[in-house]
Amino acid sequence: MPELKQARTDSQVTLTWQVPGGGSFPMPIEVAINDKVQQLDFSKGPVVLKLAKTDRLVIDPQMKVLQQLPLIGHCQENSEKGQKQAQRLMLVVYSA
């Protein structure tokens, strides 16, 4: 699945679609900068946004694009840990 990568500095953010196999992926995506929504065009490669330190950037604010988010993997890991802890707790309660 293509993944949107971010590289930040003090004054800019570079957005790049990373595709397995290194191919191009020119799909546009919306961003909101200080609540103003705009569509970014990746047909010519990575997009560089000039931003002040106080600017607020939200990528895909309407969540229209299916993409792998690091938070999803973290939530799945926590869910699995919670289920294992609940199973252990049930064993303790039933064996008492």
Side-chain angles (χ1 to χ4, degrees):
M1 178 181 302
E3 189 176 353
L4 189 61
K5 296 289 191 175
Q6 302 177 44
R8 294 179 180 256
T9 66
D10 286 342
S11 60
Q12 69 183 32
V13 174
T14 302
L15 300 172
T16 308
W17 280 111
Q18 183 178 24
V19 182
S24 66
F25 189 73
M27 187 173 91
I29 195 164
E30 289 183 345
V31 297
I33 300 173
N34 301 324
D35 297 322
K36 182 180 177 187
V37 177
Q38 60 182 330
Q39 187 167 336
L40 302 180
D41 177 17
F42 288 85
S43 64
K44 295 179 182 164
V47 173
V48 177
L49 301 170
K50 303 287 184 190
L51 298 175
K53 287 183 180 182
T54 57
D55 286 339
R56 191 170 60 100
L57 173 66
V58 179
I59 299 170
D60 192 21
Q62 301 297 316
M63 298 186 74
K64 294 179 182 177
V65 177
L66 176 63
Q67 57 181 306
Q68 180 68 32
L69 301 173
L71 178 63
I72 292 171
H74 183 68
C75 290
Q76 287 174 338
E77 289 173 15
N78 286 341
S79 175
E80 290 170 4
K81 287 178 187 175
Q83 288 174 357
K84 288 178 184 176
Q85 289 174 347
Q87 288 172 349
R88 278 186 249 140
L89 181 60
M90 284 190 290
L91 289 174
V92 170
V93 171
Y94 287 124
S95 64

